[in-house]
Amino acid sequence: MTLCGNCVFGVLLCLCFGVLSMFTSVHGSFHVSGSVSLSLTGKWSLCNDNGSVCLPAEVPGCVHSALQRQGFIQDPYFRFNDVSYSWISFDNWTYTTTFTVSTQLRTKQKVLLVFDGVDTVASVWLNGVVIGKTDNMFRRYDFSVRDSLQDGSNVLKVSFMSPVVYASERRKAHSAYRVPPECPPDVQKGECHVNFIRKEQSSFSWDWGPSFPTMGLWKGVRLEAFDVLQLTHVSSVPLHDSSLSQWRVQVELLVDAVQTTNGQITLSIPELDSEQSFYTQFLPGQTKNSFTLHLNTSNQVKLWWPNGHGDQPFYQLTVRGLQDGFMILNTTSKVYFRTVELVQEPIVGSPGLSFYFRINGKPIFLKGSNWIPAHSFQDQVTPAVLRNLLQSAVDASMNALRVWGGGVYEQDLFYSICDEMGIMIWQDFMFACAMYPTEDDFIQTVNEEVVQQVQRLKSHPSIIIWSGNNENEAALATDWFNIPVSQRPIYLKDYVTLYVNNIRRIVQQEDHSRPFLISSPTNGAESEQESWVAANPYDPHYGDTHFYSYTLDCWDWRTFPRTRFASEYGFQSWPSFSTLQPVSIKEDWSYNSNFSSHRQHHQDGNEQMLQQAALHFLLPNSTDPLKRFTDTLYVTQVMQAECVKAQTEFYRRSQSEIVEGKGHTMGALYWQLNDIWQAPSWSSIEFGGKWKMLHYFAQNFFSAVLPVGFKDDDTLFIYAVSDLSYNLTLRAVVSVYSWSDLDPVCTLKSDLLLVRGGSAATVFKQPVAALLAGCGHCTHLTCLLTFHLEDSTGAQQGPTNHHFLCSPKDTQGLQRPNITAKVQQDQTGYSVTLHSASVAPFVWLDVGNIPGRFSSNGFLMVSRNRTVSFTAWRPTSVVELSRSLTVTSLRDVY
């Protein structure tokens, strides 16, 4: 949690601590005077409705966190506690604090009680009087309290209504027609009617997460007092005029003024030798005041680039206020310069429209994943958790994440880190997989939510697009909710009312610097032509697509849609045993246990994982129950890693070609990056930060230069994929190995070919039969291929990849490798040297609950020796690592 919700985008002077001087009028003259602020975060008391449970509680925080911290409940994530503790969300809870205020604060002309985040439905009482109500988790609320404050002690109470009961009551009041879905599927063990409350939609359960409908003051609370004027927020959005090749910075000051106030505002970016002053008048009440700084054109502006395409430089913008020569306002914030365009235009040889992003005029292939809330209890998402997850994204060569629309608008720090790291953000608004009501009060609170969030976030260069919702166009178009044809116009009207007439309108008023899409998936411009809901939002000729198939063979690239942009796709796996162990007991450690079933919130998910794995792998058959369980966890991770690798490589090699009218794929964001708890899911990073095999694979399949191999009609093709901004001359080097021998049977090299930057090109093509015929006694069953790219100097470019000519379960000659491992330490850190007696696929190193990551993992070992490094995230030792280390390969599980 950031301490001050208003200190956005590097503003150095945080108003919540009262250090910013403000315009003040005394007898018609102006001089320097400070606003006064009192933080109300820290220890409060918390009681349930009938007073039977009372305890101390931290603010920011939530009821569940407080109950756990005080020992009233166990870890809510332990075993079946998500169901056992459902009573918490059905009760009403009241937070109370007592505070005293100084005479200086009380005598100010205006005193505001500010809540940066209230989750969710509450009445606010000050000294026994209701001063306001809240109904939206995603809004900042302020209430005028000058006349309600008293000498001595003041008692502030925030009384929360059960979000589950509230949602149900709102549903009952909406009697004219249903607003589906009524309830989540039974397998999710969740609560109903979450679409009737402006709250994290996944808090009532999702197919990867538990039902914990939280209540609490989840962000900061404070008093702010001033005589004339208060600065609420500063935003700065650089805009580029391409016709003049000139930059300008649009600066907005959100101001709350007691009375009309005159002053001079000066904007400057000293490093760019740019400064402008404006005489202005702030009107009474809360107003938005816009100023434009035109940059001195003689200076070359350094641009912000996505990860892998350049650096992320920034400039300091200073905003100063002067009155009669007095400095009365002085704030500094970061400004990053970049342009973004979403290009939707005709493609030669293909019906439909392109769909790709140009950053600073350069087409960029988006590589990354989808972000979900990192914890059910937002107060437990620490800066360290955010930085670790986002660093892990960058370390896997990602340049983009989609902040998914069923969670929360992330905290300021999340976006600031993305700015620093060059992670582009596709930002959904918080509406997902549902229809929504459109009563006036619902629309009104949503409008305020959208205004506030766009104002809060638009200064961040990392955000490259706003999107109105997750999958709601698709839900309507493909009739997820069995809506009768006669009623369909009602829902279409509601859809347009919410997302077009309100959200889109507001976003386009508030932010001129980035594109807006109504939904994801969508046909984009084509959906707009079809009155905002396309006949088929999954059409691969337009927009973005979401695609899931658990029964088709994921090794067969023909099963994947050759889409313009893949914004969701994926496969489930189980997390490591070390991640599950703290929230389970011995009787849970079997794939068929009640616990394993309870943790799976996707219908038939556990069976689907094994069915997909069984297409290519022999399933674990150990007679030791624990080994069989851990081996099964491993096999699900192997399956997931290979499936997502196959699909991602298909999308990356499709960026430069049109096949049967489809292609020019320019984005691959798999579902999903992170986990909300310890359970099976589509994530590549486990709860707690441990990398699954998939995340190690992503390091390779998202690398800037990548060889991709596949078979088509028994011909082997190898593509060179390059994200670089310059051309390379490359050849493919193919090594053929026997499953039974660590020495290559033969090696082939293709001719050198020009591979343009930002493209995918064929560099090798040969019938597999001919390739094998020239390689001793190899067959599809006895041999496998590895391949890499090298340039004209013989230097390898990008990672080494592999292609299995048959399913590993059908191989002939695959033996137990009997891998030995030695852990060592030197000045650079820890390393593990492996020795293998034979070819070993999917070699997996695991050090249990020692947090950290290996330089490489899950790899194919075709050498006798290999050394990998280990980066520990806490102090450890050679002895501890050696004791904890296990090494598993595919042949070790059956």
Side-chain angles (χ1 to χ4, degrees):
M1 275 295 162
T2 49
L3 290 172
C4 169
N6 285 342
C7 300
V8 174
F9 205 61
V11 174
L12 299 180
L13 299 172
C14 293
L15 304 185
C16 50
F17 299 109
V19 294
L20 184 55
S21 295
M22 282 299 162
F23 292 94
T24 305
S25 169
V26 180
H27 306 300
S29 66
F30 292 84
H31 63 87
V32 178
S33 177
S35 65
V36 180
S37 182
L38 176 67
S39 172
L40 297 177
T41 59
K43 278 270 189 290
W44 290 46
S45 64
L46 175 65
C47 287
N48 69 338
D49 207 21
N50 66 7
S52 59
V53 180
C54 287
L55 59 150
E58 285 291 324
V59 171
C62 72
V63 172
H64 289 82
S65 292
L67 289 168
Q68 184 187 359
R69 213 165 269 142
Q70 296 299 323
F72 281 79
I73 59 172
Q74 288 179 296
D75 179 356
Y77 285 172
F78 185 70
R79 298 194 79 209
F80 309 98
N81 281 349
D82 54 316
V83 171
S84 304
Y85 296 156
S86 62
W87 61 270
I88 296 167
S89 303
F90 281 84
D91 209 339
N92 301 320
W93 296 84
T94 298
Y95 279 80
T96 306
T97 189
T98 302
F99 61 92
T100 55
V101 290
S102 64
T103 307
Q104 183 194 13
L105 187 148
R106 276 195 63 215
T107 54
K108 294 290 180 186
Q109 289 296 306
K110 191 165 187 178
V111 183
L112 295 177
L113 174 61
V114 180
F115 294 90
D116 285 324
V118 182
D119 178 15
T120 290
V121 181
S123 302
V124 181
W125 299 69
L126 182 58
N127 298 323
V129 177
V130 176
I131 56 166
K133 293 180 180 295
T134 70
D135 64 2
N136 190 325
M137 178 182 182
F138 307 123
R139 280 177 58 179
R140 171 188 188 272
Y141 287 89
D142 56 50
F143 305 105
S144 187
V145 295
R146 183 179 186 269
D147 298 335
S148 304
L149 293 171
Q150 55 193 33
D151 289 331
S153 292
N154 290 266
V155 179
L156 176 61
K157 289 190 176 193
V158 184
S159 295
F160 288 90
M161 179 180 181
S162 158
V164 181
V165 173
Y166 172 85
S168 177
E169 288 184 1
R170 292 286 299 199
R171 161 64 185 91
K172 282 177 196 152
H174 192 286
S175 55
Y177 55 95
R178 69 189 183 100
V179 184
E182 298 283 343
C183 297
D186 290 346
V187 68
Q188 290 177 204
K189 306 158 192 74
E191 304 300 344
C192 301
H193 313 301
V194 73
N195 47 342
F196 279 88
I197 183 170
R198 287 314 294 145
K199 175 174 175 56
E200 178 187 329
Q201 299 290 275
S202 58
S203 67
F204 278 40
S205 80
W206 216 261
D207 56 6
W208 38 253
S211 175
F212 284 113
T214 45
M215 283 167 276
L217 300 169
W218 72 295
K219 295 191 175 187
V221 185
R222 65 191 171 278
L223 287 169
E224 290 179 352
F226 51 98
D227 280 324
V228 172
L229 188 133
Q230 169 83 310
L231 179 64
T232 309
H233 180 76
V234 181
S235 65
S236 54
V237 177
L239 299 168
H240 188 250
D241 186 328
S242 53
S243 61
L244 299 173
S245 296
Q246 188 173 4
W247 285 96
R248 64 189 190 277
V249 181
Q250 194 175 337
V251 178
E252 284 180 2
L253 308 181
L254 297 184
V255 168
D256 191 349
V258 175
Q259 63 193 51
T260 301
T261 308
N262 298 309
Q264 180 188 333
I265 295 292
T266 300
L267 309 178
S268 66
I269 301 178
E271 201 179 336
L272 292 174
D273 196 26
S274 299
E275 180 169 300
Q276 272 177 270
S277 294
F278 309 84
Y279 288 97
T280 191
Q281 186 174 73
F282 296 111
L283 298 174
Q286 296 186 345
T287 57
K288 181 170 75 174
N289 304 268
S290 296
F291 308 93
T292 302
L293 172 62
H294 293 274
L295 293 200
N296 185 332
T297 50
S298 62
N299 287 290
Q300 184 69 38
V301 173
K302 291 181 286 190
L303 301 178
W304 181 95
W305 287 97
N307 179 37
H309 294 272
D311 297 328
Q312 295 78 41
F314 64 88
Y315 295 88
Q316 294 288 354
L317 167 74
T318 300
V319 182
R320 293 191 306 276
L322 289 174
Q323 181 68 50
D324 298 336
F326 287 102
M327 172 79 71
I328 49 179
L329 169 64
N330 193 4
T331 79
T332 309
S333 58
K334 289 180 181 178
V335 180
Y336 297 82
F337 290 86
R338 68 106 184 87
T339 62
V340 56
E341 304 157 86
L342 174 58
V343 183
Q344 300 181 78
E345 58 191 20
I347 299 174
V348 176
S350 174
L353 298 170
S354 66
F355 189 94
Y356 67 92
F357 291 91
R358 267 201 301 249
I359 306 293
N360 303 326
K362 178 184 177 182
I364 304 280
F365 188 106
L366 268 64
K367 305 180 297 187
S369 189
N370 285 262
W371 174 275
I372 66 164
H375 204 290
S376 290
F377 313 122
Q378 281 291 312
D379 54 289
Q380 297 187 37
V381 182
T382 62
V385 166
L386 287 181
R387 196 165 279 280
N388 180 272
L389 286 168
L390 293 171
Q391 187 64 55
S392 290
V394 167
D395 289 348
S397 300
M398 294 184 184
N399 62 23
L401 293 172
R402 173 170 169 254
V403 176
W404 168 78
V408 299
Y409 306 95
E410 279 298 330
Q411 51 185 281
D412 298 335
L413 181 63
F414 172 91
Y415 300 98
S416 295
I417 295 171
C418 291
D419 296 342
E420 288 170 29
M421 293 183 174
I423 302 172
M424 293 177 283
I425 296 297
W426 173 312
Q427 179 66 53
D428 280 1
F429 286 91
M430 295 300 127
F431 302 87
C433 300
M435 302 296 98
Y436 285 86
T438 55
E439 281 91 342
D440 289 347
D441 61 344
F442 188 87
I443 292 292
Q444 189 181 337
T445 196
V446 165
N447 286 353
E448 187 58 35
E449 164 192 331
V450 173
V451 167
Q452 289 185 14
Q453 293 297 341
V454 174
Q455 288 175 346
R456 178 175 76 97
L457 299 175
K458 66 182 176 182
S459 304
H460 291 282
S462 51
I463 298 175
I464 61 165
I465 188 166
W466 305 107
S467 178
N469 66 71
N470 172 75
E471 298 185 342
N472 297 350
E473 180 184 342
L476 251 184
T478 59
D479 197 23
W480 289 9
F481 306 125
N482 302 311
I483 294 167
V485 175
S486 61
Q487 289 186 18
R488 189 173 159 80
I490 298 170
Y491 295 93
L492 290 168
K493 181 174 178 286
D494 282 355
Y495 185 88
V496 171
T497 295
L498 180 56
Y499 302 112
V500 182
N501 300 346
N502 284 282
I503 296 176
R504 177 175 179 265
R505 173 183 56 81
I506 292 167
V507 173
Q508 293 184 340
Q509 282 172 359
E510 292 290 335
D511 182 16
H512 309 294
S513 70
R514 49 176 71 80
F516 175 83
L517 281 176
I518 294 293
S519 188
S520 175
T522 183
N523 291 348
E526 173 60 22
S527 287
E528 190 171 339
Q529 292 298 307
E530 297 180 42
S531 303
W532 305 104
V533 178
N536 174 22
Y538 298 101
D539 188 336
H541 299 97
Y542 300 95
D544 67 319
T545 61
H546 298 184
F547 178 80
Y548 297 94
S549 172
Y550 309 113
T551 52
L552 298 174
D553 181 0
C554 77
W555 286 27
D556 181 1
W557 55 269
R558 293 170 192 81
T559 65
F560 307 135
R562 201 182 288 269
T563 174
R564 305 289 193 223
F565 193 105
S567 50
E568 277 193 30
Y569 59 96
F571 295 84
Q572 281 199 323
S573 70
W574 273 81
S576 309
F577 182 66
S578 62
T579 295
L580 294 170
Q581 195 172 1
V583 293
S584 58
I585 61 175
K586 190 175 179 182
E587 72 181 65
D588 301 329
W589 301 337
S590 121
Y591 201 74
N592 299 315
S593 69
N594 289 338
F595 173 81
S596 294
S597 172
H598 179 81
R599 243 29 199 203
Q600 175 59 267
H601 282 197
H602 168 61
Q603 190 66 49
D604 303 322
N606 289 346
E607 294 75 20
Q608 287 168 351
M609 278 184 268
L610 294 188
Q611 286 163 5
Q612 184 63 237
L615 294 176
H616 298 288
F617 307 113
L618 294 173
L619 298 181
N621 59 4
S622 173
T623 54
D624 175 357
L626 182 57
K627 183 178 187 316
R628 187 166 180 170
F629 181 56
T630 56
D631 286 349
T632 303
L633 303 180
Y634 161 83
V635 165
T636 67
Q637 290 207 19
V638 172
M639 175 276 294
Q640 179 197 34
E642 277 287 299
C643 286
V644 177
K645 171 182 184 287
Q647 197 163 356
T648 306
E649 290 182 347
F650 170 73
Y651 294 139
R652 289 197 70 191
R653 71 174 165 89
S654 298
Q655 67 182 274
S656 300
E657 61 188 11
I658 296 293
V659 179
E660 297 173 353
K662 291 178 282 203
H664 279 205
T665 307
M666 283 298 285
L669 308 179
Y670 66 75
W671 186 269
Q672 69 208 59
L673 180 75
N674 56 316
D675 264 335
I676 198 167
W677 71 333
Q678 309 90 333
S681 82
W682 294 258
S683 76
S684 62
I685 302 176
E686 300 175 7
F687 182 81
K690 189 170 187 170
W691 288 20
K692 289 181 178 177
M693 194 178 295
L694 169 56
H695 209 78
Y696 286 102
F697 274 39
Q699 274 186 302
N700 288 335
F701 64 60
F702 280 145
S703 63
V705 178
L706 175 71
V708 176
F710 64 98
K711 265 193 325 188
D712 191 7
D713 291 335
D714 214 39
T715 295
L716 176 70
F717 290 83
I718 296 175
Y719 279 43
V721 181
S722 171
D723 281 340
L724 302 177
S725 53
Y726 51 89
N727 300 339
L728 291 173
T729 305
L730 298 172
R731 64 159 58 94
V733 181
V734 182
S735 297
V736 182
Y737 286 87
S738 161
W739 283 107
S740 58
D741 192 352
L742 282 166
D743 295 312
V745 181
C746 66
T747 300
L748 301 92
K749 292 191 178 186
S750 66
D751 295 331
L752 285 164
L753 283 166
L754 179 72
V755 177
R756 297 193 180 282
S759 78
T762 309
V763 292
F764 182 96
K765 177 183 177 183
Q766 189 173 351
V768 175
L771 188 156
L772 294 179
C775 263
H777 302 290
C778 266
T779 69
H780 283 76
L781 300 181
T782 61
C783 290
L784 69 149
L785 311 176
T786 69
F787 52 93
H788 64 269
L789 301 169
E790 65 180 33
D791 61 22
S792 54
T793 69
Q796 181 169 335
Q797 297 286 333
T800 299
N801 209 334
H802 64 262
H803 181 77
F804 297 147
L805 297 169
C806 69
S807 295
K809 69 177 183 179
D810 299 325
T811 58
Q812 294 175 3
L814 180 61
Q815 302 154 24
R816 279 222 169 91
N818 299 317
I819 296 172
T820 58
K822 184 175 184 185
V823 180
Q824 292 169 292
Q825 183 180 16
D826 60 25
Q827 55 271 37
T828 62
Y830 298 98
S831 65
V832 182
T833 300
L834 304 173
H835 179 80
S836 179
S838 63
V839 172
F842 309 112
V843 175
W844 182 246
L845 286 72
D846 193 317
V847 287
N849 60 9
I850 301 172
R853 72 172 185 83
F854 292 93
S855 55
S856 182
N857 212 347
F859 46 80
L860 171 68
M861 196 161 169
V862 287
S863 58
R864 286 173 178 79
N865 299 297
R866 178 159 180 172
T867 299
V868 297
S869 62
F870 179 75
T871 303
W873 294 338
R874 68 153 169 82
T876 183
S877 65
V878 169
V879 172
E880 186 187 29
L881 286 168
S882 301
R883 192 170 58 235
S884 301
L885 178 66
T886 58
V887 181
T888 307
S889 75
L890 190 63
R891 190 60 189 83
D892 297 320
V893 304
Y894 61 89

